[in-house]
Amino acid sequence: MRRLGLGGWVGLSLVLAFVLIAIAAPWLYPGDPQDRVGRALIWPFEDPALPFGTDRLGRDLAAGIAHGTRVSLLVGFAAAAAAITIGVVVGSLAGYLGGLIDDALMRLTDTVQTIPGFVLALALVAVLGAGVGTVILAIAVSSWTGTARIVRAEVSSWRERDLVLACRAMGMGHGEILFRQILPNIAAPVIVLASVVVAVAILVESALSFLGFGDPSLISWGAMVAEGRGLLRRAWYVAAVPGAAIVVVVVAISLAGDALTRALDPRRG
Amino acid sequence: MPEPLLRLQGVKKSYPSPAGPVQAVRGVDLTLEAGERLALVGESGCGKSSLARLILRLADVDAGEIWFEGVNIIQMSDRALRPFRPRLQMVFQDPVAALNPRRTVFQAIEDPLRVHQRPDRAATVARLLAEVGLEAGLGQRYPHELSGGQKQRVGLARALALDPALLIADEPVSALDVSVRAQVINLLGAACRNRGLSLLFIGHDLAVVRHLADRIAVMHLGEIVELAPRARFWTGAAHPYAQALLAAVPATTPAEAAAKTPFVLQGDLPSAVAPPAGCSFHTRCPHAEPRCRTIPPPIVQLAADHWARCHLLTPGAGTPSLGSGGPAP
Amino acid sequence: MSLLQIDQLSVRFGATMALDSLSLAIAAGETLALVGESGSGKSTAALAIAGLLSHQATVTGTIRFDGQALTDWRGVRQGGIAMVFQDAMSALNPVHRIGAQVVEALRLPRAEQRVAAARFLDQVGLPQPERLVDAYPHELSGGMRQRVGIAIAVAQNPRLLIADEPTTALDVTIQAQILALLRDLKARLGLSLLLVTHDLGVVAETADRVAVLYAGCLMELAPAAALFTSPHHPYTQGLLEARPPFGTQAPMLAELVEIPGQLPRLDPPPAGCRFAARCDRADQRCRAEQPVLRPIADTLVACHHA
């Protein structure tokens, strides 16, 4: 943990801060964040009670950011967890078993990968209807392929090592070889990838909400940016505040992912 | 006659490759008695490591039988094979590749004991660490914190953990520094002596082979071309390929180098995808005759325990002479 | 006068002292073997001479080649020195034809390249050189690739050939071929040869003089015959004794003489003699005071007890 470095500390602290905000949002800003709290278009820092100002309908932007954090992080982490799980399972089976199963799983991966992820997510949401669950599912289905590819490549290279022969010679089962011996060694690239997938999932969720495909009953950063789009000339902060939140959380997550990879490697530090 | 510890009969194996099937093992017959130390020597690509993998059932044979402790193990399922696994263990050439960088020394040695649910594992690991000359404190270290020699000791301890009857050692010292090689060779020798272990030693360093093995099998392109007991091999290797291997061993002193008859085998090992017809060695053999290029050579019994596959040898002739071109016997 | 003269050459990589005050000379037409284990500094010395050290290296000392001081530790030498590497496969470019790689450094007109390349391939004993010019590295066997590596070096018309573990990756029969080729080239072209190796058998077959390195320090420098018959340094003695006996009727499974312990860490190196921790003759002085090289007969030895 000594090796986190400055970027790592900054990233982890910011991620932690966003998680705390997400948890504390109902207490910090009780009631519906969509409620009007004052006059329309109060600029940030004009009113100390409304640090980020208000939008066109007089809604508190700070309350929107806090509640939007819940949606962004929930979608980001849940979609990434699902995508990484699918990717690790597909990649490990393909890499470890090889042969026909490998061919079949990799053709499936190719097929999914040829469809642009965002378009696939958009199509799924359009068909299944808006809702947090649908958004998570759509993002997960469109972003597991990178993980599957990397895990397959790593597992198949570890599979060729004498380590696996030694384990098989001692009678170790395939499950244990895969889960206890091989997978811990490829945790590093998977963590890096997971942080990227979380970041991308947050972006995709924002983009879907921006286009109006988000969950209409929940406030989200993407929807807030969309809200501010028409006001860019008069009140640019309405789009910039949620936009900045997206950028900061995405950068923080990738810094944290990088630092965790380094800290978890026994060969360092 | 009692069944030997290990008996191979007509073992064949080929692997697919873009150029066609690579015939790695082309019909090997071999026996190993309990407590015996047999060396398998030959150049890279001759099939010696493939053969080791077949014996450990890490790959399946295409044809032939492998009998271990009186049981033909080639038809057995993984489950049925499990009770036999502890009896057959292996030490690998590159200890870096054979150890898990994320598992400590203790975990690495404990793994086989855990898989076979042996009791008193901590005590057994401690005993094994002592046996291979590692301090108990090293148990909590990771492989990257150890030197090459220490890593190979861990590999040996792991292989000995289940108390095997047969240890297969595939070039166990060739990746090590010269000053620690002797340490590992001594450990291997001590393990054989003290545990009554049988050893199948795979190597290309004939000086190490000479030190460890009672019998030597020379492999060329997937076939055993000569099998001889120690005493006969070093003074009377009969097959031209065996003689070439002996001649290629570097001299131990400059004086010896100056006195040596220069004999350098020309050319490379032929392709295992399309092995030469007749004798597989004829493309490089200084004594090759027309029949060597077409007719596979017979097994010529030179003594009760010594044979070679060569047209130019006569049965029972003892130490053969193949005329000029070969090294002085 | 010596062709190559190294004075007080030290190389550091950060806190690691890879090579400590190496001084030695190579005469024209001589084969000097630099012997040591991993971490001995033998490859570092070879790379320094060839001008191939990485940017992390801090170098002090001087190297004179043919009377001229070499000052650039990272620039490719413009003539006179060529290098053969251990792993011929990674030293060759897999997507370029053999012929082009052999004559790459010569900057010949296109029309002359094929003929010149074939001539160099022929010089290193490769069969059908005209055909091999068009081959790619992966089509060749390990031994042939190493011959190509030697052809690339010979094409630069060197006076000193540095061979870094040239046979370590090869089988014994191929090793014998490559050693024979190096001996032959040396005689034919009047080269000096700096042979970097860990294998005392290779040394016995080829070297005129031997420099034994341990943990970055020169321990013993001696004519090959003297080194093998009467080694003075305890480390050299240990190395020679630890070999399984081959020429004699040795008893099987007898205990080999071991050098106990492991190589020391060099970041920073231990005080005193680097070998002291593994030496049975080491005393207080060995652990405190680093021995300097001193002559015994025609040998230089760095040991307080030799």
Side-chain angles (χ1 to χ4, degrees):
Chain A
M1 287 295 150
R2 283 156 291 163
R3 288 275 193 135
L4 278 181
L6 181 64
W9 281 115
V10 170
L12 280 176
S13 323
L14 281 172
V15 171
L16 192 67
F18 275 107
V19 170
L20 289 177
I21 289 171
I23 294 168
W27 289 279
L28 289 173
Y29 298 99
D32 192 337
Q34 316 263 28
D35 287 346
R36 192 184 172 97
V37 293
R39 145 176 90 78
L41 298 181
I42 298 172
W43 279 71
F45 311 117
E46 226 179 272
D47 180 345
L50 302 166
F52 290 161
T54 59
D55 67 3
R56 199 170 41 171
L57 298 174
R59 294 178 294 199
D60 183 359
L61 283 181
I65 293 292
H67 283 265
T69 309
R70 294 168 77 86
V71 176
S72 287
L73 292 192
L74 171 70
V75 171
F77 283 107
I84 296 289
T85 308
I86 301 172
V88 168
V89 169
V90 170
S92 321
L93 289 179
Y96 191 79
L97 298 175
L100 281 176
I101 294 172
D102 182 19
D103 288 343
L105 287 174
M106 282 299 110
R107 289 303 81 76
L108 173 70
T109 309
D110 289 343
T111 312
V112 175
Q113 209 161 26
T114 51
I115 308 169
F118 186 66
V119 175
L120 181 59
L122 206 57
L124 280 171
V125 174
V127 171
L128 300 174
V132 173
T134 319
V135 172
I136 292 173
L137 178 76
I139 295 173
V141 165
S142 62
S143 49
W144 57 271
T145 52
T147 314
R149 247 167 222 296
I150 291 205
V151 169
R152 176 191 172 269
E154 293 277 335
V155 168
S156 63
S157 95
W158 277 89
R159 194 179 174 2
E160 296 305 311
R161 293 209 186 188
D162 289 347
L163 169 64
V164 171
L165 293 182
C167 290
R168 286 182 53 207
M170 69 179 74
M172 199 182 277
H174 293 296
E176 187 177 350
I177 294 177
L178 185 56
F179 288 105
R180 201 193 286 255
Q181 305 285 343
I182 298 181
L183 286 184
N185 280 292
I186 63 174
V190 171
I191 290 172
V192 173
L193 217 64
S195 67
V196 173
V197 175
V198 171
V200 168
I202 289 174
L203 287 174
V204 171
E205 189 279 329
S206 300
L208 287 174
S209 305
F210 179 84
L211 294 176
F213 289 100
D215 193 326
S217 60
L218 293 170
I219 192 161
S220 122
W221 294 347
M224 290 171 73
V225 175
E227 196 72 26
R229 189 171 55 102
L231 300 167
L232 275 179
R233 296 225 180 133
R234 270 198 296 154
W236 55 267
Y237 68 88
V238 177
V241 167
I246 295 171
V247 171
V248 171
V249 82
V250 166
V251 170
I253 286 167
S254 48
L255 284 175
D258 242 18
L260 277 182
T261 316
R262 260 176 290 144
L264 293 177
D265 188 346
R267 278 158 289 188
R268 309 205 199 181
Chain B
M1 196 174 130
E3 180 71 15
L5 181 69
L6 177 75
R7 183 159 62 83
L8 309 189
Q9 210 164 34
V11 172
K12 289 185 183 170
K13 176 70 180 174
S14 65
Y15 293 95
S17 86
V22 174
Q23 301 179 32
V25 180
R26 304 192 297 147
V28 165
D29 302 315
L30 199 63
T31 59
L32 189 69
E33 302 293 338
E36 191 186 24
R37 294 176 304 274
L38 176 78
L40 207 52
V41 301
E43 293 165 280
S44 50
C46 74
K48 54 195 198 298
S49 293
S50 298
L51 192 60
R53 278 157 205 217
L54 294 174
I55 296 169
L56 287 166
R57 273 289 309 270
L58 298 174
D60 288 328
V61 298
D62 295 339
E65 294 170 7
I66 298 176
W67 293 77
F68 181 73
E69 294 188 327
V71 184
N72 185 357
I73 59 170
I74 65 150
Q75 298 294 348
M76 289 171 117
S77 66
D78 271 6
R79 186 179 295 273
L81 201 60
R82 231 174 113 91
F84 284 88
R85 289 282 188 203
R87 311 287 295 150
L88 263 160
Q89 287 292 304
M90 178 150 174
V91 179
F92 295 84
Q93 170 172 9
D94 180 4
V96 179
L99 293 175
N100 191 335
R102 295 237 174 208
R103 292 179 77 71
T104 62
V105 168
F106 182 89
Q107 287 173 323
I109 302 175
E110 193 201 14
D111 271 342
L113 300 166
R114 195 171 41 73
V115 165
H116 289 275
Q117 289 151 17
R118 296 289 165 89
D120 299 328
R121 295 201 283 270
T124 311
V125 174
R127 191 168 45 71
L128 287 162
L129 281 172
E131 182 174 350
V132 298
L134 290 173
E135 293 160 38
L138 288 176
Q140 295 317 309
R141 301 277 186 89
Y142 286 95
H144 74 273
E145 298 172 286
L146 306 181
S147 70
Q150 288 173 325
K151 275 183 262 211
Q152 195 56 293
R153 287 169 193 250
V154 175
L156 181 60
R158 178 175 64 181
L160 294 176
L162 294 170
D163 214 359
L166 171 63
L167 187 67
I168 299 181
D170 188 356
E171 304 265 12
V173 297
S174 44
L176 302 180
D177 270 318
V178 188
S179 76
V180 293
R181 257 181 216 188
Q183 299 174 358
V184 174
I185 295 169
N186 279 346
L187 278 174
L188 214 50
C192 290
R193 250 194 337 260
N194 302 337
R195 290 168 169 261
L197 204 58
S198 302
L199 180 71
L200 180 61
F201 184 92
I202 296 171
H204 70 274
D205 185 340
L206 290 179
V208 178
V209 165
R210 173 172 190 140
H211 185 73
L212 282 173
D214 320 288
R215 275 202 304 157
I216 292 94
V218 180
M219 227 173 146
H220 184 262
L221 224 58
E223 286 177 321
I224 293 179
V225 295
E226 180 160 1
L227 185 69
R230 179 175 194 258
R232 290 184 60 88
F233 186 76
W234 305 109
T235 51
H239 196 283
Y241 179 60
Q243 295 179 345
L245 282 181
L246 282 168
V249 174
T252 46
T253 64
E256 211 177 281
K260 212 165 80 165
T261 347
F263 172 69
V264 175
L265 199 58
Q266 298 302 319
D268 286 306
L269 193 69
S271 157
V273 175
C279 171
S280 65
F281 185 59
H282 82 251
T283 55
R284 295 195 283 171
C285 183
H287 313 292
E289 296 178 356
R291 60 178 163 163
C292 302
R293 296 186 188 99
T294 50
I295 307 164
I299 287 180
V300 178
Q301 205 73 40
L302 298 157
D305 49 2
H306 182 186
W307 58 259
R309 276 177 211 269
C310 181
H311 285 298
L312 306 175
L313 299 170
T314 5
T319 305
S321 165
L322 289 167
S324 62
Chain C
M1 197 188 70
S2 315
L3 181 67
L4 186 83
Q5 177 80 45
I6 303 174
D7 270 310
Q8 297 292 314
L9 182 71
S10 296
V11 181
R12 284 175 174 280
F13 296 95
T16 303
M17 187 95 184
L19 193 61
D20 190 358
S21 315
L22 174 70
S23 298
L24 51 84
I26 302 175
E30 180 187 41
T31 300
L32 177 78
L34 217 48
V35 182
E37 302 174 77
S38 54
S40 65
K42 61 187 193 302
S43 290
T44 305
L47 292 173
I49 299 166
L52 296 172
L53 282 176
S54 74
H55 285 272
Q56 287 95 337
T58 321
V59 189
T60 57
T62 56
I63 300 177
R64 290 180 162 275
F65 180 68
D66 204 12
Q68 270 206 298
L70 306 177
T71 47
D72 187 358
W73 308 113
R74 290 160 203 114
V76 180
R77 300 280 176 255
Q78 277 311 313
I81 302 179
M83 187 147 174
V84 176
F85 298 90
Q86 171 175 352
D87 182 357
M89 191 61 197
S90 63
L92 294 174
N93 189 332
V95 299
H96 288 175
R97 294 180 194 276
I98 296 296
Q101 300 193 52
V102 170
V103 294
E104 193 175 15
L106 302 186
R107 301 210 173 78
L108 289 174
R110 217 177 169 71
E112 294 168 31
Q113 282 185 1
R114 280 186 66 90
V115 181
R119 186 162 46 88
F120 289 118
L121 292 176
D122 183 48
Q123 229 176 33
V124 296
L126 281 166
Q128 299 176 283
E130 294 82 10
R131 214 170 52 79
L132 274 180
V133 167
D134 293 320
Y136 288 99
H138 73 267
E139 299 171 54
L140 273 54
S141 69
M144 289 167 87
R145 281 197 286 263
Q146 192 56 288
R147 283 179 193 266
V148 172
I150 295 171
I152 291 175
V154 167
Q156 296 162 46
N157 192 23
R159 295 168 64 198
L160 172 65
L161 189 65
I162 303 173
D164 188 359
E165 302 272 10
T167 60
T168 305
L170 304 174
D171 279 309
V172 277
T173 57
I174 311 297
Q175 164 168 297
Q177 293 177 6
I178 296 293
L179 291 181
L181 172 67
L182 287 174
R183 278 192 298 262
D184 170 57
L185 283 175
K186 189 191 130 192
R188 225 163 1 116
L189 306 174
L191 298 172
S192 298
L193 187 61
L194 177 65
L195 186 71
V196 179
T197 182
H198 70 278
D199 188 336
L200 289 165
V202 171
V203 174
E205 296 255 324
T206 43
D208 300 319
R209 280 194 310 144
V210 188
V212 180
L213 289 174
Y214 181 79
C217 289
L218 180 58
M219 294 299 189
E220 183 159 2
L221 180 64
L227 187 96
F228 281 90
T229 50
S230 55
H232 291 285
H233 198 285
Y235 174 62
T236 319
Q237 291 166 357
L239 277 186
L240 288 167
E241 284 166 10
R243 297 187 296 172
F246 194 74
T248 54
Q249 274 294 338
M252 190 168 37
L253 286 188
E255 286 279 304
L256 296 177
V257 180
E258 291 180 15
I259 303 179
Q262 315 291 335
L263 290 155
R265 298 187 64 120
L266 298 176
D267 54 338
C273 174
R274 300 278 159 88
F275 188 60
R278 301 175 74 181
C279 181
D280 55 4
R281 275 185 261 170
D283 57 20
Q284 210 55 43
R285 188 178 169 208
C286 298
R287 281 181 280 272
E289 186 189 327
Q290 193 169 2
V292 290
L293 284 172
R294 59 196 171 85
I296 299 176
D298 46 6
T299 299
L300 285 174
V301 190
C303 176
H304 294 305
H305 298 282

